Amino acid sequence: MTDAASGLAEVKQQFADIKLKYYSLSPRDRGALVILSVFLGCVLFFYLVWSPVNQGAEDAYDRYQNKVKLMAWMKANESVAKRAANMSGASAGSRGGKSILSLVNATSGQNGVSLKRFEPKGEDGLRIWLENVSFDAMLKWLGILSNTYGIVIANITVESQKESGKINATIILSG
């Protein structure tokens, strides 16, 4: 005999043993066992099928409601976004065709910020490292870059130094 055939024979024997035990019970015990089995089946159905399906439907409805709210907010703020897009385009135009690198080099010296190192970041970005620079001077310089030339500060990491008011910074700018 193969393993599958012997396994099937074993299952049939166990089923026959269970059936024999069931019929050896009194009619009252058999009825209680049937009621208990139906109850257990209902509980298992509820916890294994109904509850997860119901929870999934509630979660999907909540996600739908959040997306509806987001869409309403986006429509309400569409004009603000268009104005901001127009303003950033105008700011970029105010650079006079200069690259971010040339503007950073020109304005850093004028504002007392010395660049330790810089490298291009993507198509229109620049990563800058500053070392032992005045925090106030850096803020003023970044304000000029942002407000005058429309350069966006994408990321900044600042570390304080032992000397009061001096910092090390890594800045990612994009235009």
Side-chain angles (χ1 to χ4, degrees):
M1 265 190 183
T2 65
D3 287 340
S6 66
L8 184 60
E10 188 177 321
V11 169
K12 283 183 179 180
Q13 181 60 42
Q14 287 177 350
F15 185 71
D17 291 344
I18 291 172
K19 193 174 175 184
L20 181 63
K21 286 181 185 178
Y22 174 75
Y23 285 113
S24 69
L25 294 174
S26 69
R28 185 175 172 188
D29 288 344
R30 283 195 302 244
L33 185 60
V34 168
I35 291 172
L36 182 62
S37 297
V38 169
F39 175 75
L40 184 61
C42 290
V43 168
L44 288 175
F45 174 79
F46 178 79
Y47 282 108
L48 297 177
V49 177
W50 182 259
S51 184
V53 168
N54 192 36
Q55 186 63 45
E58 288 176 8
D59 291 346
Y61 184 74
D62 289 344
R63 285 192 307 271
Y64 168 75
Q65 289 297 334
N66 288 338
K67 289 184 189 232
V68 166
K69 288 177 187 175
L70 177 63
M71 184 65 149
W73 179 85
M74 289 172 67
K75 285 186 184 251
N77 291 297
E78 180 179 15
S79 61
V80 174
K82 285 182 180 177
R83 276 196 313 267
N86 290 338
M87 286 177 61
S88 70
S91 295
S94 68
R95 288 190 223 163
K98 294 182 180 178
S99 69
I100 291 179
L101 178 59
S102 63
L103 289 171
V104 166
N105 276 331
T107 57
S108 64
Q110 297 167 358
N111 291 284
V113 176
S114 60
L115 305 178
K116 178 181 179 198
R117 190 174 127 205
F118 55 86
E119 69 182 28
K121 178 85 173 151
E123 287 185 25
D124 197 18
L126 185 67
R127 180 178 298 193
I128 303 166
W129 285 266
L130 307 177
E131 192 172 278
N132 204 24
V133 173
S134 165
F135 182 73
D136 294 336
M138 180 197 68
L139 285 181
K140 179 182 172 196
W141 173 64
L142 289 175
I144 290 169
L145 288 175
S146 178
N147 296 332
T148 306
Y149 301 107
I151 295 174
V152 176
I153 302 163
N155 191 349
I156 185 167
T157 305
V158 178
E159 298 173 358
S160 63
Q161 295 298 300
K162 290 180 182 177
E163 186 179 344
S164 180
K166 296 290 184 170
I167 54 119
N168 289 347
T170 304
I171 306 166
I172 298 176
L173 302 172
S174 63

